[in-house]
Amino acid sequence: MIKIFRLKNIISIKDFERQDIEYILDEAAKLEDIAKSREFSDELKGKILGLMFFEPSTRTRISFETAMKRLNGQCIGFTSSGSSSVSKGESIADTAKMFEGYSDALVIRHELEGVSKFISDVVNVPVINAGDGAGQHPTQTLLDLYTIKKEIGQIDNLKIALVGDLKFGRTVHSLSNALCLFDNVKIYMVSPPELKMPQEILIDLDNTNVEYEEADKIEDIIDDVDVLYITRIQKERFGDIDDYLKIKGAYVVNKKMLEGKDLIVMHPLPRVDEIDTDVDNTKYNKYFTQAANAVPVRMAILKTVIKNNPK
Ligand code: NCD
């Protein structure tokens, strides 16, 4: 079967069909050698990527830049609202239109849900959502799925625990939606009562054949899972800092808890205190591999959307 990729904009993983995900994962596998051996290809020579990062980022922004540069393209952009003319009162739409004039695709990170979608409605170049508030983070999900497929062998039949801030964590929202496209998946959701998975995502899951179960403690589910996907409590999204302080440190995974278990530990990073550093030098640690996989996966995304949508 010839696989195709149908999307111009990467806004929500809910826009994807299984074949779109498989297309990107297959492309990423082909590009992994270039990424890992620190080589370059001319796939995007002469192309410019606009990076509009209104919210802080390390991995996402740097891996998009690395991906573009490995394909011999170039990057322009800003890394905070304060360093763009939005701080002078320019509208996001006007800023985006400037970037449209200068670049072949835009990558957007913003603290408000829906901003990438809004920008995709006002520009003609492809728009990639690199995280919108507590909404979606579709390119993180693609690299998470790539990592799961590489490490476990397949995504079908997966048993995964999502641990931590399931209310505000956009990575677990996107990942849950994506898993709806695979067969026989079971999700265990482990969070403090205040940070449970939003009802709308549970409804999405109810409409598919993904099975899910909520749990209070990691210990209750650790023997049943292939992947422990740990997340940071999203401090910046709490209205009241005291609410954050009450929950901070609620879940910590350490080496002792993992000994003898047949699973891998993933985390979108940054970690605060939810994975003890004694896990770093064990076979369970796949979070740094996951971060490295961002480069071939984002190379695949950029190559696909920029080549499919020439200016
Ligand atoms: C995540 C994000 O920004 O949503 N980080 C990332 O992109 N790898 C997770 C987080 O900030 O906790």
Side-chain angles (χ1 to χ4, degrees):
M1 192 180 75
I2 299 173
K3 287 188 178 155
I4 56 154
F5 187 77
R6 301 166 309 113
L7 305 172
K8 173 178 177 187
N9 302 304
I10 311 234
I11 305 295
S12 165
I13 208 80
K14 288 171 81 170
D15 300 331
F16 281 66
E17 288 177 6
R18 181 169 174 151
Q19 68 168 26
D20 299 310
I21 292 181
E22 286 173 347
Y23 184 97
I24 296 295
L25 302 195
D26 289 353
E27 276 298 309
K30 288 185 223 154
L31 292 162
E32 189 175 317
D33 270 356
I34 300 174
K36 297 264 154 86
S37 56
R38 306 279 193 265
E39 285 167 9
F40 297 90
S41 109
D42 276 342
E43 299 272 9
L44 294 181
K45 192 169 178 195
K47 304 289 184 191
I48 293 185
L49 181 64
L51 298 163
M52 299 172 61
F53 276 68
F54 296 93
E55 209 190 31
S57 169
T58 304
R59 268 151 300 275
T60 304
R61 185 174 57 81
I62 301 297
S63 60
F64 264 115
E65 273 195 43
T66 308
M68 193 62 185
K69 289 177 180 176
R70 291 249 165 260
L71 297 171
N72 275 337
Q74 299 191 50
C75 299
I76 56 167
F78 55 83
T79 56
S80 69
S81 306
S83 61
S84 79
S85 283
V86 169
S87 66
K88 298 183 191 167
E90 184 171 60
S91 71
I92 289 177
D94 281 3
T95 306
K97 281 189 173 299
M98 293 310 103
F99 269 76
E100 177 189 19
Y102 306 143
S103 41
D104 296 283
L106 303 183
V107 180
I108 321 282
R109 170 169 287 197
H110 200 281
E111 61 273 21
L112 289 180
E113 222 171 305
V115 166
S116 300
K117 169 77 180 85
F118 168 75
I119 291 178
S120 73
D121 290 337
V122 298
V123 301
N124 281 319
V125 291
V127 172
I128 301 169
N129 177 6
D132 61 336
Q136 286 264 324
H137 197 347
T139 66
Q140 176 71 41
T141 294
L142 292 167
L143 74 94
D144 292 344
L145 295 173
Y146 185 78
T147 305
I148 292 168
K149 191 167 174 209
K150 263 199 95 173
E151 300 298 331
I152 311 279
Q154 58 174 2
I155 303 165
D156 292 323
N157 304 317
L158 183 73
K159 291 190 173 58
I160 184 170
L162 306 177
V163 181
D165 189 343
L166 308 186
K167 179 178 180 188
F168 296 120
R170 53 197 174 199
T171 67
V172 286
H173 299 164
S174 293
L175 184 54
S176 300
N177 284 136
L179 290 172
C180 293
L181 299 171
F182 293 86
D183 298 327
N184 194 30
V185 171
K186 172 136 192 197
I187 305 178
Y188 295 88
M189 300 173 181
V190 187
S191 70
E194 300 85 343
L195 298 179
K196 280 183 189 267
M197 188 66 88
Q199 201 58 33
E200 68 200 62
I201 307 261
L202 298 182
I203 291 169
D204 289 342
L205 296 176
D206 286 336
N207 290 329
T208 67
N209 54 7
V210 170
E211 212 188 309
Y212 67 88
E213 192 177 305
E214 295 183 319
D216 295 330
K217 295 208 299 286
I218 297 175
E219 289 79 356
D220 294 342
I221 51 85
I222 198 164
D223 287 319
D224 299 325
V225 297
D226 308 305
V227 177
L228 264 186
Y229 188 101
I230 316 288
T231 63
R232 169 180 76 89
I233 310 280
Q234 306 277 302
K235 181 180 177 184
E236 67 278 26
R237 307 205 198 284
F238 280 72
D240 183 345
I241 190 72
D242 286 338
D243 291 340
Y244 165 73
L245 293 172
K246 268 183 238 151
I247 295 167
K248 181 181 179 295
Y251 295 105
V252 179
V253 174
N254 59 39
K255 183 175 167 185
K256 193 156 178 292
M257 289 164 71
L258 298 170
E259 267 160 10
K261 313 286 183 214
D262 186 18
L263 55 79
I264 61 169
V265 178
M266 293 175 62
H267 190 309
L269 303 177
R271 112 178 108 180
V272 181
D273 52 8
E274 54 287 338
I275 303 178
D276 195 300
T277 51
D278 72 1
V279 181
D280 293 1
N281 290 323
T282 69
K283 64 175 183 181
Y284 304 104
N285 167 9
K286 293 295 170 199
Y287 33 94
F288 294 136
T289 311
Q290 182 186 357
N293 287 339
V295 175
V297 173
R298 291 190 166 118
M299 286 167 80
I301 294 166
L302 292 172
K303 178 185 157 186
T304 304
V305 297
I306 293 176
K307 288 199 149 188
N308 284 356
N309 300 282
K311 222 175 161 183

